[in-house]
Amino acid sequence: MDDYSDEYDFLGKLDQDSSDSSSVQIANRLKAAILTGKFAPGETLPSNQKLQNRFGVARETVKSAFKILTDKEKLVVTQQGRLPRVRVKTHRSVELRPHVEALFKDDHVAIDFAGFSGETLKGVVLEPLDRIRMGELTPQDVTLRIMVSDMRLPMSLPTPVDPTNDASRVTERMARITDRALETIVNDVRELEELGLIKSGSVEVRMHGISPVFKLFILNGAEVFFGFYPIVQHSVPINGERVEIFDPMGKDASLFHFSSTGEDAEQGEMFVNAARTWFDSLWDTVATTRDIG
């Protein structure tokens, strides 16, 4: 077996049943490796030939993958006659999903989430939970603590742009969205435990009366992702009519990564510890337990 087969095993193999092209799949695997630190800033990436051999694809397919990483993702620098390398000066805003997927490869998965509705959390955990169901991931236990704003209480956000409109209609809509997202997470984890696919599954939800201004993920107590919600004006459907509201927009939040290990560990550990202390302080004081599902 050639050396590259072992050296880059973490890149895996192409999924022949995927709707994504081979070049997109290769780009996504390299992107995940960069974002999770397997390729450090400034480090050279595998040559075209090595990637051709690993994935069994044509040279043009690999070139297309690198074009995605250089032109679209801005993660890679290419230069004639030299191996492609990870861009040194990368923005601190990072993607959460690859880190969550890596977390679910451990025996013990613990995620603390604080934010608005829990929709972002649902979006990043459903795929790993599905992969447990298919036998591709085998953690022993999954523990989620979810802390969100209680939209059944009066809130300054989200709110109608027109102050004469009934604000309760806006918060009631958000409460329904929150309940649906949290019910999906709770039911999926509960099902995996009932099927015996994980030894232990726990999802605890608590709510508070603080308007949502940021979201926070704490992964296994060692990594933190933090981002502010930008406030946007847009229209939403409520009882058959469009209503203009000011809304904390989760999908537009840039997440910043802090880790208690690796590069910048000292500063990262300070932020991780502060985030854990903040989360536990709110969790143990004014946040109240909410039964979901």
Side-chain angles (χ1 to χ4, degrees):
M1 183 178 290
D2 295 329
D3 289 342
Y4 66 80
S5 297
D6 292 330
E7 185 180 0
Y8 301 120
D9 266 355
F10 57 82
L11 293 176
K13 298 179 180 179
L14 298 183
D15 180 359
Q16 302 302 321
D17 297 323
S18 174
S19 59
D20 290 331
S21 67
S22 296
S23 58
V24 169
Q25 288 190 60
I26 294 170
N28 286 342
R29 291 173 185 274
L30 289 170
K31 176 183 176 180
I34 292 169
L35 295 178
T36 55
K38 291 184 175 65
F39 293 116
E43 184 177 349
T44 57
L45 295 171
S47 67
N48 283 11
Q49 187 62 56
K50 286 186 175 181
L51 290 175
Q52 286 176 242
N53 293 339
R54 161 154 287 284
F55 293 113
V57 296
R59 180 179 180 82
E60 290 303 315
T61 300
V62 175
K63 288 176 65 177
S64 296
F66 277 125
K67 185 173 178 60
I68 294 172
L69 294 170
T70 54
D71 296 348
K72 180 181 177 182
E73 302 294 345
K74 309 295 184 185
L75 290 172
V76 172
V77 177
T78 56
Q79 188 175 352
Q80 185 68 32
R82 305 180 70 173
L83 287 175
R85 58 183 172 81
V86 180
R87 186 181 296 275
V88 174
K89 294 182 179 180
T90 56
H91 197 273
R92 291 293 290 173
S93 176
V94 296
E95 254 193 63
L96 173 66
R97 190 181 301 273
H99 293 261
V100 172
E101 291 175 352
L103 177 67
F104 272 81
K105 295 178 181 178
D106 293 342
D107 285 339
H108 307 288
V109 176
I111 301 177
D112 290 342
F113 169 80
F116 191 1
S117 67
E119 284 190 295
T120 303
L121 177 64
K122 184 185 78 169
V124 297
V125 301
L126 283 193
E127 183 175 346
L129 294 177
D130 281 341
R131 293 181 64 190
I132 294 174
R133 193 176 287 107
M134 292 185 291
E136 296 177 2
L137 296 173
T138 57
Q140 297 298 298
D141 55 78
V142 176
T143 302
L144 306 179
R145 293 195 300 171
I146 305 171
M147 189 162 54
V148 295
S149 302
D150 189 348
M151 288 295 138
R152 292 167 179 83
L153 301 175
M155 290 280 167
S156 58
L157 287 169
T159 189
V161 173
D162 182 352
T164 64
N165 280 343
D166 182 5
S168 66
R169 293 198 304 160
V170 176
T171 52
E172 287 168 4
R173 169 185 175 271
M174 202 62 238
R176 292 192 295 271
I177 293 173
T178 299
D179 286 347
R180 286 198 297 268
L182 299 182
E183 285 172 5
T184 298
I185 297 171
V186 170
N187 291 336
D188 275 23
V189 173
R190 184 179 295 162
E191 180 190 43
L192 292 176
E193 184 180 35
E194 291 173 351
L195 292 173
L197 295 174
I198 55 176
K199 289 184 177 179
S200 173
S202 171
V203 182
E204 188 173 357
V205 177
R206 295 190 183 183
M207 294 186 174
H208 54 76
I210 304 171
S211 290
V213 292
F214 64 82
K215 62 174 136 183
L216 172 73
F217 296 82
I218 306 175
L219 309 185
N220 273 7
E223 288 186 279
V224 165
F225 291 82
F226 176 89
F228 290 104
Y229 290 123
I231 311 304
V232 302
Q233 177 179 336
H234 66 139
S235 66
V236 297
I238 300 178
N239 298 332
E241 64 174 301
R242 305 295 299 188
V243 178
E244 287 285 325
I245 67 171
F246 292 122
D247 196 13
M249 190 57 68
K251 68 181 181 62
D252 293 336
S254 296
L255 290 176
F256 296 86
H257 179 222
F258 301 86
S259 175
S260 58
T261 61
E263 188 180 359
D264 299 327
E266 183 176 355
Q267 181 180 1
E269 185 174 13
M270 291 175 61
F271 194 93
V272 169
N273 289 339
R276 292 170 61 183
T277 299
W278 175 87
F279 186 97
D280 289 338
S281 68
L282 188 55
W283 182 268
D284 294 332
T285 57
V286 299
T288 57
T289 301
R290 176 62 57 83
D291 290 329
I292 300 292

